[in-house]
Amino acid sequence: MSGRVLVGVKRVIDYAVKIRVKPDKSSVVTDGVKHSMNPFCEIAVEEAVKMKEKKLIKEVVAVSCGPQQAQETIRTALAMGADRGIHVEVTGKDYETLGPLQISKIMAALAKKEEAQLIILGKQAIDDDCNQTGQMTAALLDWPQGTFASEVSLEGDKIKVVREVDGGLETIKINIPAVITADLRLNTPRYATLPNIMKAKKKKIANMKPADLGVDITSRLEVLRVDEPPQRQAGVKVETVEDLVSKLKEAGLV
Amino acid sequence: MCPLCTTEHAAPQLYTTLHRRKCSSVSTPRITTHYTIHSRDKDSRWEGIEMERFADEADVVIVGGGPAGLSAAIRLKQLANEHEKELRVCLVEKASQIGAHTLSGACLEPTALSELFPDWKERGAPMNTPVTEDVFSILTEKHRIPVPILPGLPMRNHGNYIVRLGNFVHWLGEQAEELGVELYPGYAAAEVLFHEDGSVKGIATNDVGIAKDGSPKDVFERGMELHAKVTLFGEGCHGHLAKQLYKQFNLRENCEPQTYAIGLKEVWVIDEKKWRPGRVEHSVGWPLNRNTYGGSFLYHLNEGEPLVALGFVVGLDYTNPYLSPFREFQRWKHHPSVAPTLEGGSRIAYGARALNEGGIQSIPKLTFPGGLLIGCSPGFMNVPKIKGTHTAMKSGMLAAEAIFPKVTAEGLDSETTGLHVPEYAEALKNSWVWKELHSVRNIRPSFHNYFGLYGGMIYTGVFYWIFRGKEPWTLKHAGLDANQLKPAKECTPIEYPKPDGKISFDLLSSVALSGTNHEGDQPPHLTLKNDSVPVERNLAIYDGPEQRFCPAGVYEYVPLETGDGMRLQINAQNCVHCKTCDIKDPSQNINWVVPEGGGGPAYNGM
C-alpha cells in the first residue's frame, strides 16, 4: 500500500479557554477566542506522518472545512509533516450549521477525487463531542472502519487496528481502503517547530467550495437554544449520620 | 556513597554528625529542574542528544508582539516600501496569537497611532469608545469624595479612547502582516545569541519536549536561531531577556532601579441600565492605606454589548507582606460607588500584569552592540496618566527610523558585527516622549512622604498642575521593590472579606477565566536560584508573600508529606506571565524564564 492518506483537521476553541454563551443564546462566543487544532486531529496527523516516515504511504493531505482561519490549522498540519492541504471554504451561517454529516459527505467526495486509500480522523471534536464523522464517512464510501484506534499497523494489504472499547481492547483486521479514527493513546503528536512552520508556508493549500465537490451542506438540524450548565449549588454540611439520613429522606432520595 | 546527599564523598572518615546535619537541609524536595539553573552540559540524561539548532537570517528580529514591537515592525516596512528597499523583518511572540498576552486598562492616547497610521479610522482600528466622561475620586470605606479633573492635570482623558488593548494589538498585527512582516506567534525567544565580539547576533526560540524533571522526551526538539543585523527587545514590563541584557551590557549603571505596580483586571457584562459608554472612572484611597500606592479604574466600553473594563493597581513597593493585591481588588468592588454598577452583571474575563512606575529616572541605557530596548521593557510609562501604550508605540517607531538607514546601508558601518544604533536613544531624548516623561518625573516619588497619598496629591497639584513639572530637582525612588517588605512579625495580617461569588470571587475561579494553560510536562518556568530559600527565608521572615502577591495562585506553601515543616509548591500551569514574582520576591530568588511558546493566558481583548 503506497498511496495517499487524507487527514481531517478541525479548528476548535482551545480546551483551556472558558466558554461563554452568546447573550442571544444562539451559540457560544468565538470572536477573538483562542482556537487550536482539535487534540484528536493532532494525533491523526501524527499517525499519518509516522506512516509516511516509515515509507508505508506516499502522501499526506490535510483537509479542513471552515472560514479563512481554517488555513492556520492546515498550516500546523503541514508543519507537522503533511505534504499539502485542502481548504474547503465554508463561512457564515453555513459554517455555524456545519456538522458531521456534511463533513462526511465532503470527506467522501475528496477521498474519491484524490483516490485516497486511507482516511484518518480524530475520534471526536472537543467542541461538539459528536464522534460521528469517521463512522459516517466510512458508511458513505462503503469502506471498513477502525474507530477509537490506539494502535494501527499495516499487514500486507490489510490494516490491523487495536480499538479502545468499553470492555477493554478489541483487535480487528480491515481491508484497505479504510477509515480510522484516532484515540488518545495512539501516539504523542510532535511539536510544530518554527523552522517547519516557515517551510510549511511554501507547501500548497488548495481552495475549494463544497459546491465544487457536488456536496450540499444544508443542515438537517436546527439549534434551538444554547444554555450554560446549571450553577453548581453549594452543599450542606451535616453533623451526624442521622442528620444525613433525614436530609436524604427529605430530598426523596431514600 | 552518602545516603543523604547521594554523592561520593572524598573523605568518608569525615562523614560526621556535622555533615549529616548539613545534608539534611538537602531534604528540601527538588523544585527547580529548568536547564537555566541545572545545566544540561553536565546532565547525563542529555548525553548524545542532538543540540544543533537550525538558523535563519533576517535583517531585523523583534522580540515581542505588543504595541512597541508591532509599531517598530510596521514603521520599518513603511520605510522599506517608501524607499523601495527589501527588508526581512521577523517578529517572535510567546503568546499563541497576537494580543493573547496583552492586558491593559486602557485609555489610549491616539498621538503615536496617528503618526503611524494617519488613516487609522479608515483602516478599521478598534477605537470605538471616545472618552465622554472623566471622573476621579478619593474613596473612604463608605464614601466617595469627587476630585475635579481640571484641564492640565495628568489624568485628564479628553481626546482619548477607551480600547480593548488586546484587540488593538491584534489589529496592529494584521496591519503588520499586510505590510509583509513575518509574525510568529507561539514561539518564545528564550535565549540571546552573541557574536564572537560580544555583540548581539539574534535570538533562539524555546526548546520543546523537555519533561518536568528536566530530561528530554521523545518529541524533544531544539529551538531555532534567528540571526539579525539588529535585534529589538520589546518584551514588555520586566522582560526576562532584558534582565540578562542589563547584566551583560551593564545597562543600568546610571539609572535608578525600576519600580513597579501590579495591575489586575476584569471585564464584566453589566445591566444595560447601568451602562454609560465612554465613562472613565478612577479612584485612589480605600481599600489601600495612605502609604500604599495604588488605585482603581473602571471604563465603560462602547462596542455593542454593555461591557465594562475594571481593575485595581497596587504599587509593588508595599511594605506589608500580608497584603494581597488580588483580595484588595476583590474587596474594592464592594464599595458603595462600585458595587451597584456590577450588580446584575456577570464577569467574563480576568487577568493581571505588572506595570512600570519608575518613569524617566529608571530608564536604562537603551542601546548596545547588536540590539536595543523598546516599549515597556525599558519603561516609558507616564505614571500619573497611567498610560504607556502611546510612548511604547513611539519608541518602536523611533527605533525603526533610527535603524532603517543603518540596516539598508550598502556597507556595514559598525565597529561590531551586530549593529549599534545609539541614534535611537538620541531621537527618543529629542521627542515628545522624553518631554512628557520629564514633566511627570516627580509625581510618583512624591508619594514617599509621611502623608503618603495626600502628600503626593498636594505635590502633584502644586508642581505639576501649576508649574508643569519644571522644578529643577528630580526626586528619587525608594529603591528596589523587593527590598521594601517588612518582616511579617512587624506587620499585622489583613482581614479580607470572603468573596460572595457575585461581585467578588475566589482566586482559582478567576484564574480559570484567564484561559491560562501550559503544557504540564515541562520544567516549571518559575525557576529558583536556590530551592531552599523559599522556606528558609521567604516563609520564615515574610510569611511567604508570594502566596499573596501572585494573581494566579502559582505559589503555595503546603505541609511536607513527612508532616514536619512546609515546602513550596509551584503550580506553574496557572502562571499568567505577569512577572510580579520576579519583581517582588524579597530574596530575589525567583527567576521567571519563558515557558514553551503558546502557553500562558488566552486573553481576548483585554
Side-chain angles (χ1 to χ4, degrees):
Chain A
M1 151 84 167
S2 55
R4 185 169 294 136
V5 174
L6 282 189
V7 181
V9 292
K10 186 177 182 187
R11 180 175 178 265
V12 297
I13 296 182
D14 187 86
Y15 73 92
V17 168
K18 211 116 207 194
I19 313 281
R20 185 163 77 100
V21 175
K22 283 194 184 144
D24 63 1
K25 294 197 184 283
S26 59
S27 61
V28 298
V29 177
T30 50
D31 260 342
V33 175
K34 178 178 176 188
H35 283 66
S36 32
M37 190 191 289
N38 181 38
F40 295 106
C41 298
E42 285 181 345
I43 298 174
V45 174
E46 177 64 25
E47 196 59 24
V49 174
K50 270 200 169 65
M51 283 182 171
K52 192 179 88 161
E53 286 171 347
K54 289 194 206 138
K55 302 228 187 335
L56 299 168
I57 52 156
K58 261 213 311 249
E59 197 188 24
V60 178
V61 183
V63 180
S64 193
C65 307
Q68 181 69 13
Q69 295 97 317
Q71 297 208 0
E72 289 163 19
T73 316
I74 301 178
R75 285 260 176 251
T76 308
L78 293 173
M80 285 171 73
D83 296 293
R84 60 185 167 90
I86 299 177
H87 172 210
V88 181
E89 207 179 324
V90 182
T91 53
K93 208 83 198 64
D94 287 334
Y95 181 58
E96 282 170 35
T97 55
L98 199 61
L101 183 56
Q102 298 102 309
I103 303 285
S104 314
K105 289 181 186 169
I106 294 173
M107 289 303 290
L110 278 172
K112 292 202 187 105
K113 181 169 184 279
E114 297 284 336
E115 293 174 346
Q117 292 196 274
L118 194 58
I119 300 180
I120 311 184
L121 305 172
K123 73 168 177 178
Q124 66 198 57
I126 60 168
D127 50 6
D128 54 24
D129 278 339
C130 280
N131 188 346
Q132 297 165 359
T133 309
Q135 293 88 332
M136 284 181 173
T137 310
L140 288 169
L141 287 166
D142 199 22
W143 285 6
Q145 55 184 261
T147 54
F148 312 110
S150 67
E151 218 183 290
V152 172
S153 47
L154 261 60
E155 300 197 345
D157 61 346
K158 297 208 200 296
I159 305 183
K160 184 172 97 171
V161 180
V162 178
R163 307 177 57 229
E164 293 199 22
V165 296
D166 286 344
L169 297 171
E170 183 193 48
T171 309
I172 59 171
K173 222 181 230 178
I174 52 178
N175 290 326
I176 297 166
V179 174
I180 299 192
T181 72
D183 207 324
L184 194 63
R185 274 159 282 265
L186 181 56
N187 59 50
T188 307
R190 66 195 63 193
Y191 287 85
T193 55
L194 187 54
N196 289 331
I197 287 273
M198 288 179 170
K199 284 189 204 135
K201 289 208 169 149
K202 303 199 184 85
K203 294 185 184 175
K204 274 195 156 47
I205 299 182
N207 276 319
M208 58 187 72
K209 296 223 166 51
D212 300 335
L213 297 166
V215 172
D216 171 24
I217 54 166
T218 13
S219 176
R220 319 277 175 93
L221 299 173
E222 185 193 336
V223 173
L224 297 175
R225 212 172 84 173
V226 177
D227 280 308
E228 297 220 350
Q231 285 281 358
R232 200 157 168 230
Q233 296 301 325
V236 175
K237 271 198 174 144
V238 293
E239 297 293 311
T240 65
V241 176
E242 285 78 21
D243 277 346
L244 175 62
V245 174
S246 68
K247 281 241 152 45
L248 287 172
K249 282 199 174 136
E250 263 173 55
L253 294 166
V254 287
Chain B
M1 175 117 112
C2 169
L4 282 172
C5 62
T6 60
T7 51
E8 294 289 347
H9 288 295
Q13 64 269 29
L14 297 174
Y15 179 46
T16 59
T17 43
L18 206 66
H19 172 78
R20 249 189 278 242
R21 222 179 315 147
K22 176 181 176 290
C23 278
S24 62
S25 74
V26 179
S27 70
T28 306
R30 176 88 104 106
I31 301 174
T32 303
T33 52
H34 202 273
Y35 63 80
T36 50
I37 306 283
H38 300 285
S39 171
R40 291 176 287 196
D41 299 335
K42 308 181 205 93
D43 192 331
S44 58
R45 302 170 300 183
W46 287 88
E47 251 173 86
I49 301 283
E50 179 59 59
M51 297 298 267
E52 186 78 37
R53 278 189 288 223
F54 183 77
D56 204 359
E57 305 279 328
D59 291 299
V60 181
V61 162
I62 302 177
V63 175
L70 288 168
S71 299
I74 288 170
R75 193 78 194 102
L76 277 169
K77 277 303 207 177
Q78 283 176 339
L79 288 166
N81 292 342
E82 229 178 281
H83 292 92
E84 290 174 352
K85 292 244 159 108
E86 290 282 324
L87 201 65
R88 184 175 186 207
V89 180
C90 291
L91 187 151
V92 286
E93 161 61 45
K94 62 175 162 60
S96 57
Q97 56 191 51
I98 302 283
H101 285 186
T102 301
L103 184 140
S104 182
C107 280
L108 184 62
E109 218 179 86
T111 41
L113 175 62
S114 301
E115 285 181 35
L116 189 64
F117 287 121
D119 57 345
W120 55 258
K121 212 184 186 127
E122 288 77 35
R123 281 172 180 267
M127 308 265 282
N128 305 310
T129 314
V131 175
T132 56
E133 276 180 275
D134 208 350
V135 172
F136 192 85
S137 327
I138 302 179
L139 298 183
T140 63
E141 194 176 341
K142 299 226 171 43
H143 302 286
R144 179 180 89 85
I145 306 165
V147 174
I149 307 178
L150 305 160
L153 276 176
M155 54 287 290
R156 194 152 183 268
N157 275 298
H158 185 75
N160 296 336
Y161 291 79
I162 305 173
V163 293
R164 297 178 69 173
L165 196 62
N167 290 345
F168 180 77
V169 167
H170 187 83
W171 172 82
L172 275 181
E174 289 173 347
Q175 307 308 303
E177 264 197 314
E178 256 177 56
L179 284 164
V181 176
E182 287 177 53
L183 294 178
Y184 295 112
Y187 297 97
E191 202 183 309
V192 184
L193 303 167
F194 297 95
H195 288 291
E196 299 246 317
D197 63 7
S199 61
V200 169
K201 184 172 165 186
I203 52 102
T205 59
N206 57 283
D207 293 347
V208 291
I210 305 179
K212 201 163 186 172
D213 63 5
S215 61
K217 295 194 279 198
D218 285 330
V219 284
F220 170 75
E221 278 204 58
R222 273 294 252 169
M224 176 177 156
E225 295 190 8
L226 276 172
H227 300 167
K229 297 181 183 141
V230 65
T231 309
L232 276 64
F233 292 87
E235 296 170 286
C237 175
H238 206 77
H240 79 111
L241 292 181
K243 201 175 165 185
Q244 288 174 37
L245 291 166
Y246 295 150
K247 273 209 215 68
Q248 182 83 15
F249 293 103
N250 215 355
L251 301 172
R252 300 203 75 97
E253 60 184 337
N254 290 322
C255 68
E256 288 197 49
Q258 183 65 262
T259 64
Y260 302 88
I262 177 177
L264 301 107
K265 177 181 173 182
E266 286 173 1
V267 177
W268 283 63
V269 181
I270 57 169
D271 187 338
E272 244 192 278
K273 297 188 221 69
K274 323 253 175 97
W275 185 38
R276 298 164 75 162
R279 182 179 166 89
V280 163
E281 292 176 27
H282 290 117
S283 81
V284 291
W286 190 85
L288 299 175
N289 64 28
R290 69 168 194 270
N291 292 108
T292 305
Y293 186 83
S296 75
F297 65 88
L298 198 154
Y299 305 147
H300 292 247
L301 287 154
N302 191 4
E303 304 200 348
E305 262 189 300
L307 287 180
V308 293
L310 67 154
F312 205 78
V313 173
V314 179
L316 285 177
D317 57 348
Y318 69 83
T319 52
N320 186 346
Y322 292 107
L323 192 140
S324 161
F326 173 78
R327 302 194 81 170
E328 298 289 350
F329 174 33
Q330 297 304 315
R331 77 166 162 173
W332 162 77
K333 285 188 281 174
H334 283 285
H335 190 272
S337 69
V338 183
T341 308
L342 301 177
E343 264 148 30
S346 64
R347 184 176 72 152
I348 60 169
Y350 165 84
R353 183 74 170 90
L355 47 131
N356 303 303
E357 300 230 311
I360 214 172
Q361 294 95 317
S362 303
I363 298 178
K365 188 153 178 292
L366 295 166
T367 65
F368 41 89
L372 39 87
L373 303 167
I374 56 176
C376 276
S377 181
F380 301 113
M381 195 160 113
N382 181 327
V383 181
K385 265 194 198 175
I386 26 168
K387 290 177 179 45
T389 311
H390 62 308
T391 47
M393 288 176 71
K394 183 66 176 167
S395 72
M397 290 156 65
L398 289 171
E401 286 159 11
I403 298 173
F404 182 74
K406 294 199 132 169
V407 143
T408 50
E410 288 307 316
L412 205 64
D413 165 37
S414 178
E415 298 171 349
T416 50
T417 322
L419 287 178
H420 191 192
V421 191
E423 291 84 348
Y424 158 60
E426 282 308 307
L428 206 61
K429 293 207 174 78
N430 292 327
S431 72
W432 52 259
V433 173
W434 215 259
K435 264 209 255 335
E436 195 180 312
L437 293 180
H438 182 82
S439 68
V440 298
R441 72 196 181 287
N442 284 325
I443 297 184
R444 178 64 174 93
S446 71
F447 282 68
H448 295 294
N449 64 77
Y450 179 72
F451 296 103
L453 170 69
Y454 306 109
M457 292 183 77
I458 295 172
Y459 186 97
T460 306
V462 173
F463 288 100
Y464 184 79
W465 191 58
I466 301 177
F467 292 114
R468 290 279 178 270
K470 289 194 171 52
E471 66 270 32
W473 57 83
T474 299
L475 297 175
K476 283 185 131 72
H477 297 302
L480 260 191
D481 287 333
N483 296 338
Q484 304 304 317
L485 277 184
K486 294 208 187 92
K489 62 179 193 285
E490 291 175 28
C491 304
T492 22
I494 304 177
E495 276 293 316
Y496 289 106
K498 271 185 85 151
D500 73 347
K502 292 204 211 38
I503 306 254
S504 52
F505 300 90
D506 64 296
L507 186 59
L508 289 180
S509 64
S510 308
V511 177
L513 270 185
S514 69
T516 193
N517 195 28
H518 296 86
E519 160 61 54
D521 193 14
Q522 66 173 307
H525 62 281
L526 302 121
T527 65
L528 304 172
K529 293 189 204 137
N530 182 332
D531 279 353
S532 30
V533 163
V535 172
E536 282 175 20
R537 202 161 176 269
N538 287 22
L539 186 61
I541 306 175
Y542 302 99
D543 197 46
E546 55 269 62
Q547 340 172 58
R548 298 187 191 92
F549 60 56
C550 173
V554 169
Y555 300 98
E556 273 186 289
Y557 282 96
V558 295
L560 280 167
E561 278 81 11
T562 53
D564 53 342
M566 307 285 268
R567 65 177 178 89
L568 177 66
Q569 177 169 286
I570 297 185
N571 306 312
Q573 281 184 280
N574 289 7
C575 181
V576 292
H577 297 205
C578 75
K579 315 293 175 68
T580 302
C581 55
D582 196 312
I583 295 166
K584 190 60 174 170
D585 177 6
S587 313
Q588 288 291 276
N589 187 39
I590 300 175
N591 193 38
W592 190 98
V593 297
V594 81
E596 276 181 15
Y603 296 142
N604 182 7
M606 283 290 262

